[in-house]
Amino acid sequence: AWRYGVAVDYDDNIWMGGHGGSGPAHYFNASDSYNMVSTSVNDVTGITVAPDGTIWGSQYNINRVVRIDPITGLELCSAPISCGTHVASCSRPHGVAALADGTIWAPIRFGGIINVFDGTTCALLNVHAVDPGHELYTYSDMAGTQLMTVTTRVGHWIQDFDSGYDSPFWSEVTWT
C-alpha cells in the first residue's frame, strides 16, 4: 500500500492515508514513531482532521468519503460521491478538506466536481461543478483548517515580557 496524504490531530498523532491494494489509514504519535496503528478504513488518499477532532478521508477506488473515530480508528459514517446533475460521470475523490463551518469538501479527481458533506452525519449537502483544468488532484488540508486549528493553534495567548526594570511602562511593542 502507498501512503497518501498526511494530517496531524490534536493529540499530535500523525495520520496517513493508505492506498493501493487494501492499505488501511494509519497513525502514530510523534513521540513514538515506531508504534504505527492501523485503522479499519482502507483506500484513503486524502486525509484531514475536522475541527471536532474526527478524521476524514477520501476513499479513492471506493468513490466515497469516510469519517473515522480518532480513538478507535473505526468508521463513524461514510457517503458515496455524487456527480449531481452537472456531468454524466465522475470518479475518484482525491482529497478532503474540513472547513471551519463543519462541512467537509471533497474534490472529485475526474469530472470537475466538488462534493460538500455534513461534518457530523456524512450527508451530502451540495455538489459544485468547477473547471478542473487537467483534473482535480489534491490531498489534505487544501482549505488550511489544519493549519489554523492544529498546526498553529488558534486562540489568545498572554505573554509576559521582562524588561529587566522594576515597574516598567510599555508604550509600544513591535515584532519584525
Side-chain angles (χ1 to χ4, degrees):
W2 304 295
R3 299 294 157 241
Y4 266 87
V6 64
V8 179
D9 71 16
Y10 295 109
D11 293 322
D12 294 327
N13 292 315
I14 300 167
W15 289 80
M16 295 175 292
H19 172 63
S22 60
H26 292 78
Y27 70 93
F28 60 91
N29 192 276
S31 65
D32 184 12
S33 62
Y34 296 102
N35 187 20
M36 188 170 289
V37 179
S38 295
T39 69
S40 64
V41 180
N42 293 314
D43 200 36
V44 171
T45 50
I47 195 162
T48 195
V49 179
D52 70 358
T54 57
I55 311 303
W56 280 83
S58 58
Q59 292 183 292
Y60 189 71
N61 290 312
I62 302 171
N63 286 312
R64 68 180 189 159
V65 295
V66 62
R67 183 177 184 224
I68 304 168
D69 183 302
I71 306 299
T72 66
L74 297 175
E75 179 180 314
L76 294 172
C77 63
S78 64
I81 64 166
S82 172
C83 301
T85 59
H86 304 289
V87 295
S89 174
C90 64
S91 65
R92 309 289 196 248
H94 204 17
V96 64
L99 275 63
D101 67 1
T103 59
I104 304 300
W105 289 56
I108 313 307
R109 183 175 179 185
F110 302 112
I113 297 295
I114 295 176
N115 285 184
V116 181
F117 297 93
D118 181 281
T120 302
T121 67
C122 295
L124 180 68
L125 300 176
N126 212 332
V127 178
H128 298 285
V130 296
D131 178 358
H134 177 64
E135 59 190 45
L136 293 176
Y137 194 96
T138 63
Y139 288 101
S140 306
D141 199 36
M142 61 201 133
T145 305
Q146 276 260 265
L147 176 64
M148 296 304 295
T149 59
V150 177
T151 309
T152 307
R153 311 240 197 247
V154 174
H156 177 79
W157 295 269
I158 296 174
Q159 177 69 46
D160 292 326
F161 293 95
D162 184 358
S163 68
Y165 299 101
D166 290 330
S167 303
F169 175 78
W170 296 92
S171 62
E172 181 180 351
V173 177
T174 59
W175 286 264
T176 57

